Amino acid sequence: MRSLPRLVLLGMSGLGLSGLGLSGCVLDTNLHSKQKDPVVDTGDTAVDVPVDTDTPPDDTDTEDSGPPPSCDEDNFPSATIPQLEECYSEGVEVGSFTPIIEWTNTDPGDTYTTPVVGQLTDDNGNGVIDDGDTPDVVVANTAGVLWAISGDGRTLWSAGSLGSEPMTAAIGDLDGDGFPEVVGSGYNNTLAVHGENGSPLWSAVAASSPACGAVAIADLDADGDPEVILGNLILNGQDGRTRGTGRFGKGTGYSGGGAATMGAAADINRDGLLEVVVGNALYDADGNAIWANGQSDGFVAVGNFDSDPEGEIVVTWTGNVRLQDDDGTVLWSANYTGSTSGPPTVADFDGDGEPEIGVAGNGEYKVIDADGTALWSRPTVDFSSGFTGSSVFDFEGDGIAEVVYADENDVYVFDGPTGAVKLREPTHSSATCSEYPAVADVDGDGHAEIIYTSSSYSGSERGVRVIGDADNSWMPGRKVWNQHAYSITNVEDDGSIPVTPDVNWDSYNNFRSGDVTPGEGGYSGPDLFPFIHTVCAEECGAGNVTVWYSIGNQGFDDVVDSVELEFWGDTDAGRVLLGTSTRSANLPAGVRTRSEFIELTGVPSPLYDIIVTVDGGDETGSGVVDECYEDNNTANWGAVVCP
């Protein structure tokens, strides 16, 4: 069954359920009186998709004989009924790929940190951060100043003096007030500011070797109070107090370890708590080593590359890539990109359902299979740092991933399976640190954009630029990409940090990547509901009750299988089964059948109510028909039948 918005049909006194007026459906207000031909609303909100007229509405009873003499016949003809919008979808159309520059903001000046995205300000004035607010972009420029820019390109504020070549900032709600904060760090200090205006929350010690590194935010101990991670240094997110420092690696693949500190958070060992992941160690929330494997430190990404539920760690350093198991055991290792390599990206690049690794180094970008086999390589121009990163997204919704990468001169989009160049955007210049372009719906238009930074190096470009699609057809993206070590489940849409985040590799199995699930295809389905017209209780004393009922199909597909109806009673002994009936095939879409009746015998007294279910009732998976809703297959009479 497809996942759809829930429609709740409630039992009401004296009322069968025929859609209850939702999505153009009709509410029967005749209560217990005998109905004439019901007036059926054709539904202004019904989707304009024709009912299959090849199958005529059923107009025959399933019983051969009339009702007991003491009960009048309640024959209601079949009728057309409105169809639920949610039971039909034309699907997501595959987008085009016609990229254009949507806006440029040069206020930050020279910038080569990864842009991070989140909703910082209450733009719609309703007092909360929600989907109605425009996302914002935060960058730290090369002078160490934090800049916040609205998703429409307007500068919001600037704050701080972090020192030259600062870390990539991070966004997250640190104090639980519903409004995200921004954390930046550099040689001078680590600074947390309020996202709405840049005013300081706290200032704390700087990371070791912060240049070109990255801040991370996670709730490591699941207490509702997030921590700030600066490689191997862990700070309390509410006041900046040092919580712990790991003794081994600090998450850098820079030669000699003198720059680019960056740790990541993930529940590698599946113990329910997040660990701080660096190249050669795993730390707990206080910086204690869970294990250290004696290998070189490095940049990291996490994913699941085997059949067990625990995560594996990708480590890159000085041109090398290795894969480590959850206990630090090295699974394979090799040199791929010369003398330098950047932070790795994990995604399904080639559409085979398994994760691959993307890594940039001196003069090339390379994709590596899970077993260490190199799949493809493309030349790039990065000889300044040689350790830039990348992101992955499926812009067109065709199930084919694209790689987004920026070197010293250009911004590229590579085809995920082959590495073919889909975009080479020249309005870019960078001396390069460890930055990469982010992908998010930065302007709230329902389509993803590419956000990247520039510094005057090979050209004159500076500040922040946003690339969108000229046809406005790219797939929806999240309105948040909150940190360099981004994974989809590490932050909520409103910028809050989950206490116990879903393990990313259980559902997405990627890192520094957006969702590359293909766009949804079209869908149509049936939707059955029962309707009680009349209950005749004149022979209660003899244990006989007659129920007149019908079945509606408010979906968009005919039901061709026979379906079972069950009639239940609420009694002093609880709910008991009173009888069953089989409805033969031929339940056209958009039709309620002619009324039928069943005589229930041996009915106990008192009988407080009668309930009818169709095709297994409201329990998902218990029937034979795959419906767009499975929780509206029950109707009740709603009144005492036999006192």
Side-chain angles (χ1 to χ4, degrees):
M1 173 188 151
R2 290 184 57 83
S3 175
L4 293 165
R6 292 181 61 81
L7 174 69
V8 181
L9 297 179
L10 305 174
M12 292 186 175
S13 178
L15 180 65
L17 303 182
S18 63
L20 294 183
L22 296 176
S23 296
C25 297
V26 176
L27 185 68
D28 174 42
T29 55
N30 286 322
L31 301 180
H32 295 309
S33 65
K34 299 174 184 177
Q35 291 177 289
K36 305 297 182 184
D37 291 347
V39 178
V40 180
D41 181 6
T42 58
D44 293 337
T45 61
V47 179
D48 188 19
V49 176
V51 179
D52 182 4
T53 56
D54 293 334
T55 306
D58 179 79
D59 223 14
T60 59
D61 292 331
T62 57
E63 303 290 341
D64 294 331
S65 59
S70 58
C71 290
D72 295 333
E73 291 191 21
D74 276 348
N75 290 316
F76 300 108
S78 61
T80 300
I81 59 174
Q83 295 159 277
L84 294 180
E85 294 180 8
E86 298 90 341
C87 293
Y88 177 83
S89 169
E90 292 182 349
V92 176
E93 185 176 341
V94 173
S96 62
F97 195 80
T98 52
I100 57 170
I101 300 290
E102 291 192 347
W103 57 257
T104 300
N105 187 312
T106 60
D107 288 349
D110 289 335
T111 307
Y112 45 67
T113 54
T114 300
V116 291
V117 179
Q119 290 164 305
L120 302 179
T121 55
D122 178 20
D123 300 302
N124 59 9
N126 65 352
V128 296
I129 297 296
D130 59 22
D131 197 54
D133 300 318
T134 302
D136 306 296
V137 180
V138 174
V139 296
N141 69 9
T142 58
V145 178
L146 293 169
W147 287 82
I149 303 169
S150 173
D152 59 14
R154 296 175 295 110
T155 297
L156 299 176
W157 51 259
S158 62
S161 179
L162 305 173
S164 63
E165 294 192 315
M167 305 175 94
T168 289
I171 295 173
D173 184 0
L174 300 176
D175 54 11
D177 66 351
F179 288 81
E181 281 74 43
V182 175
V183 183
S185 188
Y187 284 109
N188 293 348
N189 63 351
T190 301
L191 181 66
V193 301
H194 295 284
E196 63 266 36
N197 55 26
S199 61
L201 176 64
W202 50 256
S203 179
V205 298
S208 171
S209 309
C212 299
V215 180
I217 300 175
D219 189 351
L220 297 174
D221 54 4
D223 65 352
D225 295 324
E227 283 73 43
V228 172
I229 303 164
L230 308 172
N232 60 333
L233 174 62
I234 303 167
L235 305 180
N236 185 316
Q238 295 69 60
D239 56 17
R241 173 180 51 85
T242 297
R243 177 159 179 166
T245 304
R247 296 191 300 112
F248 300 97
K250 49 191 175 184
T252 177
Y254 181 74
S255 179
T261 293
M262 58 177 77
D267 185 6
I268 295 293
N269 56 16
R270 305 301 292 260
D271 65 351
L273 297 175
L274 301 179
E275 293 84 43
V276 175
V277 186
V278 296
N280 57 8
L282 205 64
Y283 302 128
D284 68 14
D286 296 312
N288 302 308
I290 297 172
W291 54 254
N293 63 4
Q295 298 291 317
S296 300
D297 195 12
F299 301 119
V300 298
V302 297
N304 193 348
F305 292 84
D306 58 22
S307 59
D308 64 35
E310 290 78 25
E312 283 74 52
I313 303 166
V314 181
V315 184
T316 58
W317 81 107
T318 59
N320 301 287
V321 181
R322 69 174 180 263
L323 184 66
Q324 298 176 166
D325 212 344
D326 59 284
D327 62 357
T329 301
V330 176
L331 301 175
W332 52 258
S333 178
N335 183 278
Y336 294 90
T337 58
S339 60
T340 64
S341 51
T345 297
V346 173
D348 182 5
F349 287 78
D350 59 6
D352 65 352
E354 302 296 332
E356 288 82 39
I357 301 160
V359 61
N362 273 138
E364 68 176 323
Y365 185 90
K366 184 162 289 190
V367 170
I368 304 162
D369 212 345
D371 62 0
T373 303
L375 297 180
W376 57 259
S377 178
R378 286 293 173 265
T380 63
V381 179
D382 184 13
F383 300 98
S384 47
S385 74
F387 55 89
T388 44
S390 63
S391 56
V392 171
F393 193 71
D394 177 10
F395 291 98
E396 295 150 288
D398 57 2
I400 301 173
E402 283 89 30
V403 184
V404 187
Y405 171 75
D407 64 10
E408 295 174 8
N409 301 330
D410 302 292
V411 175
Y412 289 95
V413 174
F414 300 127
D415 176 70
T418 67
V421 177
K422 298 186 67 170
L423 169 68
R424 183 176 181 177
E425 173 54 57
T427 58
H428 172 63
S429 169
S430 180
T432 72
C433 269
S434 60
E435 82 274 15
Y436 64 89
V439 179
D441 179 6
V442 73
D443 54 8
D445 67 350
H447 304 278
E449 287 86 30
I450 298 169
I451 311 100
Y452 68 95
T453 58
S454 291
S455 60
S456 51
Y457 179 71
S458 60
S460 60
E461 293 87 1
R462 310 168 80 201
V464 180
R465 281 178 172 79
V466 169
I467 299 173
D469 180 50
D471 297 326
N472 210 32
S473 69
W474 284 354
M475 289 292 289
R478 293 185 76 192
K479 296 180 180 180
V480 60
W481 189 293
N482 75 317
Q483 57 186 322
H484 194 294
Y486 171 77
S487 62
I488 295 171
T489 59
N490 73 348
V491 62
E492 303 292 354
D493 290 343
D494 62 359
S496 60
I497 304 301
V499 175
T500 53
D502 293 339
V503 177
N504 185 269
W505 54 83
D506 284 348
S507 49
Y508 299 104
N509 206 11
N510 58 23
F511 199 86
R512 298 187 176 97
S513 172
D515 187 1
V516 295
T517 303
E520 295 181 353
Y523 168 75
S524 64
D527 190 62
L528 299 177
F529 65 90
F531 184 86
I532 301 177
H533 292 274
T534 301
V535 173
C536 175
E538 294 182 12
E539 295 187 357
C540 271
N544 300 324
V545 171
T546 301
V547 179
W548 290 86
Y549 65 92
S550 60
I551 307 170
N553 178 5
Q554 57 194 353
F556 282 90
D557 282 356
D558 298 341
V559 174
V560 297
D561 297 312
S562 298
V563 294
E564 188 83 5
L565 293 102
E566 295 181 336
F567 296 82
W568 297 79
D570 283 341
T571 71
D572 284 339
R575 183 161 293 186
V576 298
L577 182 63
L578 303 177
T580 63
S581 177
T582 299
R583 166 73 197 194
S584 61
N586 187 20
L587 288 168
V591 169
R592 189 174 68 187
T593 66
R594 180 176 177 174
S595 61
E596 304 165 4
F597 75 90
I598 183 172
E599 184 177 359
L600 304 174
T601 60
V603 172
S605 293
L607 180 62
Y608 300 111
D609 200 0
I610 286 180
I611 301 94
V612 58
T613 67
V614 61
D615 195 40
D618 294 348
E619 184 177 343
T620 299
S622 60
V624 299
V625 180
D626 185 15
E627 304 178 55
C628 60
Y629 288 107
E630 300 282 1
D631 58 359
N632 60 350
N633 288 12
T634 299
N636 69 299
W637 181 234
V640 174
V641 178
C642 299

